[in-house]
Coordinates of all heavy atoms in Angstrom, one line a residue:
S1 N 0.9 -8.2 2.4 CA 1.7 -7.0 2.7 C 1.3 -5.8 1.8 O 0.9 -6.0 0.7 CB 3.2 -7.3 2.6 OG 3.6 -7.6 1.3
L2 N 1.6 -4.6 2.3 CA 1.3 -3.4 1.5 C 2.6 -2.7 1.2 O 3.4 -2.4 2.1 CB 0.4 -2.5 2.3 CG -1.0 -3.0 2.6 CD1 -1.8 -2.1 3.5 CD2 -1.8 -3.2 1.3
P3 N 2.9 -2.3 0.0 CA 4.1 -1.6 -0.4 C 3.9 -0.1 0.0 O 2.8 0.4 0.2 CB 4.2 -1.7 -1.9 CG 2.7 -1.9 -2.3 CD 2.1 -2.7 -1.2
R4 N 5.0 0.6 0.1 CA 5.0 2.0 0.4 C 4.6 2.8 -0.8 O 3.9 3.8 -0.6 CB 6.4 2.5 0.9 CG 6.7 1.9 2.3 CD 8.1 2.4 2.7 NE 8.4 2.1 4.1 CZ 8.8 0.9 4.6 NH1 9.1 0.0 3.7 NH2 9.0 0.7 5.8
V5 N 5.0 2.4 -2.0 CA 4.7 3.1 -3.2 C 4.2 2.2 -4.2 O 4.7 1.1 -4.4 CB 6.0 3.8 -3.7 CG1 5.6 4.6 -5.0 CG2 6.6 4.7 -2.7
V6 N 3.1 2.6 -4.9 CA 2.6 1.8 -6.0 C 2.5 2.7 -7.3 O 2.3 3.9 -7.1 CB 1.2 1.3 -5.7 CG1 1.2 0.2 -4.6 CG2 0.2 2.4 -5.3
K7 N 2.8 2.1 -8.4 CA 2.7 2.8 -9.7 C 1.4 2.6 -10.4 O 1.0 1.4 -10.5 CB 3.9 2.5 -10.5 CG 5.3 2.8 -9.9 CD 6.4 2.6 -10.8 CE 7.8 3.0 -10.2 NZ 7.8 4.4 -9.9
C8 N 0.8 3.6 -10.9 CA -0.5 3.6 -11.5 C -0.4 4.3 -12.8 O 0.1 5.4 -12.9 CB -1.5 4.2 -10.6 SG -3.2 4.1 -11.2
E9 N -1.0 3.6 -13.8 CA -1.1 4.3 -15.2 C -2.5 4.1 -15.8 O -2.6 4.0 -17.0 CB 0.0 3.7 -16.1 CG 0.0 2.1 -16.2 CD 1.1 1.6 -17.0 OE1 1.6 2.4 -17.9 OE2 1.5 0.4 -16.9
L10 N -3.5 4.0 -14.9 CA -4.8 3.8 -15.4 C -5.4 5.2 -15.9 O -5.1 6.2 -15.3 CB -5.7 3.2 -14.3 CG -5.3 1.8 -13.8 CD1 -6.1 1.5 -12.6 CD2 -5.5 0.8 -14.9
P11 N -6.3 5.2 -16.9 CA -6.9 6.4 -17.2 C -7.9 6.8 -16.1 O -8.5 5.9 -15.5 CB -7.7 6.1 -18.5 CG -7.8 4.6 -18.5 CD -6.6 4.1 -17.8
P12 N -8.0 8.1 -15.8 CA -7.6 9.3 -16.6 C -6.2 9.8 -16.2 O -5.9 11.0 -16.4 CB -8.6 10.3 -16.2 CG -9.0 10.0 -14.8 CD -8.9 8.5 -14.7
C13 N -5.3 9.0 -15.5 CA -4.0 9.5 -15.2 C -3.2 9.8 -16.5 O -3.2 9.0 -17.5 CB -3.2 8.4 -14.4 SG -4.0 8.0 -12.8
P14 N -2.5 10.9 -16.5 CA -1.9 11.3 -17.8 C -0.7 10.5 -18.1 O -0.3 10.3 -19.3 CB -1.4 12.8 -17.5 CG -1.3 12.8 -16.0 CD -2.4 11.9 -15.5
N15 N 0.0 9.9 -17.1 CA 1.1 9.0 -17.4 C 1.3 8.1 -16.1 O 0.4 8.0 -15.3 CB 2.4 9.8 -17.6 CG 2.5 11.0 -16.5 OD1 2.2 10.8 -15.4 ND2 2.9 12.1 -17.0
V16 N 2.4 7.4 -16.0 CA 2.7 6.6 -14.8 C 2.9 7.5 -13.6 O 3.8 8.3 -13.6 CB 3.9 5.7 -15.1 CG1 4.1 4.8 -13.8 CG2 3.7 4.8 -16.3
V17 N 2.1 7.3 -12.6 CA 2.2 8.2 -11.4 C 2.5 7.3 -10.2 O 2.1 6.1 -10.2 CB 0.9 9.0 -11.2 CG1 0.6 9.9 -12.3 CG2 -0.3 8.0 -11.0
D18 N 3.2 7.9 -9.3 CA 3.5 7.2 -8.0 C 2.4 7.6 -7.0 O 2.1 8.7 -6.8 CB 4.9 7.6 -7.5 CG 6.0 7.2 -8.4 OD1 5.8 6.1 -9.1 OD2 7.0 7.9 -8.4
C19 N 1.9 6.5 -6.3 CA 0.9 6.7 -5.3 C 1.5 6.2 -4.0 O 2.1 5.1 -3.9 CB -0.4 6.0 -5.6 SG -1.2 6.7 -7.1
F20 N 1.2 6.9 -2.9 CA 1.8 6.5 -1.6 C 0.7 6.1 -0.6 O -0.3 6.8 -0.4 CB 2.6 7.8 -1.0 CG 3.6 8.3 -2.0 CD1 3.3 9.2 -2.9 CD2 4.9 7.7 -1.9 CE1 4.3 9.7 -3.8 CE2 5.9 8.2 -2.8 CZ 5.6 9.2 -3.7
I21 N 0.9 5.0 0.0 CA -0.1 4.4 1.0 C 0.3 4.9 2.4 O 1.4 5.0 2.8 CB 0.0 2.9 0.9 CG1 -0.4 2.4 -0.5 CG2 -1.0 2.3 1.9 CD1 -0.3 0.9 -0.7
S22 N -0.8 5.2 3.1 CA -0.6 5.7 4.5 C -0.3 4.6 5.4 O -1.0 3.5 5.4 CB -1.9 6.4 4.9 OG -1.8 6.7 6.3
R23 N 0.8 4.7 6.2 CA 1.2 3.8 7.2 C 1.2 2.3 6.8 O 0.6 1.4 7.3 CB 0.3 3.9 8.5 CG 0.4 5.3 9.1 CD -0.4 5.3 10.4 NE -1.8 5.4 10.2 CZ -2.7 5.5 11.2 NH1 -2.3 5.6 12.4 NH2 -4.0 5.6 10.9
P24 N 2.0 2.0 5.7 CA 1.9 0.6 5.2 C 2.5 -0.4 6.1 O 2.0 -1.5 6.2 CB 2.8 0.8 3.9 CG 3.7 1.9 4.1 CD 2.9 2.9 5.0
T25 N 3.6 0.0 6.9 CA 4.2 -1.0 7.8 C 3.2 -1.4 8.9 O 3.1 -2.6 9.2 CB 5.5 -0.4 8.4 OG1 6.4 0.0 7.4 CG2 6.1 -1.4 9.3
E26 N 2.5 -0.4 9.5 CA 1.6 -0.7 10.6 C 0.4 -1.6 10.0 O 0.0 -2.5 10.7 CB 1.1 0.6 11.1 CG 0.2 0.4 12.4 CD -0.2 1.8 13.0 OE1 0.1 2.8 12.3 OE2 -0.8 1.8 14.0
K27 N 0.0 -1.3 8.8 CA -1.1 -2.0 8.3 C -0.7 -3.4 7.9 O -1.5 -4.4 8.1 CB -1.7 -1.3 7.0 CG -2.4 0.0 7.3 CD -2.8 0.7 6.1 CE -3.5 2.0 6.4 NZ -3.9 2.8 5.2
T28 N 0.5 -3.6 7.5 CA 1.0 -4.9 7.2 C 1.1 -5.8 8.5 O 0.8 -7.0 8.5 CB 2.4 -4.9 6.5 OG1 2.3 -4.2 5.3 CG2 3.0 -6.2 6.3
I29 N 1.6 -5.2 9.6 CA 1.7 -5.9 10.8 C 0.3 -6.3 11.3 O 0.2 -7.5 11.7 CB 2.4 -5.0 11.9 CG1 3.9 -4.8 11.5 CG2 2.3 -5.6 13.3 CD1 4.6 -3.8 12.4
F30 N -0.7 -5.5 11.2 CA -2.0 -5.9 11.7 C -2.6 -7.0 10.7 O -3.2 -7.9 11.2 CB -2.9 -4.7 11.6 CG -3.0 -3.9 12.9 CD1 -2.2 -2.8 13.1 CD2 -3.7 -4.4 14.0 CE1 -2.3 -2.1 14.3 CE2 -3.8 -3.7 15.2 CZ -3.0 -2.5 15.4
T31 N -2.3 -6.9 9.4 CA -2.8 -7.9 8.5 C -2.1 -9.2 8.8 O -2.8 -10.3 8.9 CB -2.4 -7.5 7.1 OG1 -3.0 -6.2 6.8 CG2 -2.9 -8.5 6.1
L32 N -0.8 -9.3 9.1 CA -0.2 -10.5 9.4 C -0.7 -11.1 10.7 O -0.8 -12.3 10.9 CB 1.3 -10.3 9.5 CG 2.0 -10.0 8.1 CD1 3.5 -9.8 8.3 CD2 1.8 -11.2 7.1
F33 N -1.0 -10.2 11.7 CA -1.5 -10.7 13.0 C -2.9 -11.3 12.8 O -3.1 -12.4 13.3 CB -1.6 -9.5 13.9 CG -2.3 -9.8 15.3 CD1 -1.5 -10.3 16.3 CD2 -3.6 -9.6 15.5 CE1 -2.0 -10.7 17.5 CE2 -4.2 -10.0 16.7 CZ -3.4 -10.5 17.7
M34 N -3.7 -10.7 12.0 CA -5.0 -11.3 11.7 C -4.9 -12.6 10.9 O -5.7 -13.5 11.2 CB -5.9 -10.3 11.0 CG -6.2 -9.0 11.8 SD -7.2 -9.3 13.3 CE -8.9 -9.4 12.6
V35 N -4.0 -12.7 10.0 CA -3.8 -13.9 9.2 C -3.3 -15.0 10.2 O -3.8 -16.2 10.1 CB -2.8 -13.6 8.1 CG1 -2.3 -15.0 7.5 CG2 -3.4 -12.8 7.0
V36 N -2.4 -14.8 11.1 CA -1.9 -15.8 12.0 C -3.0 -16.3 12.9 O -3.2 -17.5 13.1 CB -0.7 -15.3 12.8 CG1 -0.3 -16.2 13.9 CG2 0.5 -15.0 11.9
T37 N -3.7 -15.4 13.5 CA -4.8 -15.8 14.4 C -5.9 -16.6 13.6 O -6.5 -17.5 14.1 CB -5.5 -14.6 15.1 OG1 -5.9 -13.6 14.1 CG2 -4.5 -13.9 16.0

């Protein structure tokens, strides 16, 4: 599954930043479908 928001603190990020994934629910559904098949 893919979360909606992930937290990243890797350099060169100045601090802990929030990153947003595009269409996580739709991607999770397709991933589960491929896993089941």
Side-chain angles (χ1 to χ4, degrees):
S1 62
L2 296 175
R4 289 180 172 83
V5 182
V6 292
K7 295 186 179 298
C8 179
E9 52 182 339
L10 299 172
C13 299
N15 47 38
V16 178
V17 298
D18 294 331
C19 296
F20 304 90
I21 299 174
S22 170
R23 296 187 285 185
T25 303
E26 188 176 5
K27 292 177 180 177
T28 298
I29 291 173
F30 270 99
T31 301
L32 293 177
F33 177 84
M34 296 295 278
V35 167
V36 170
T37 53

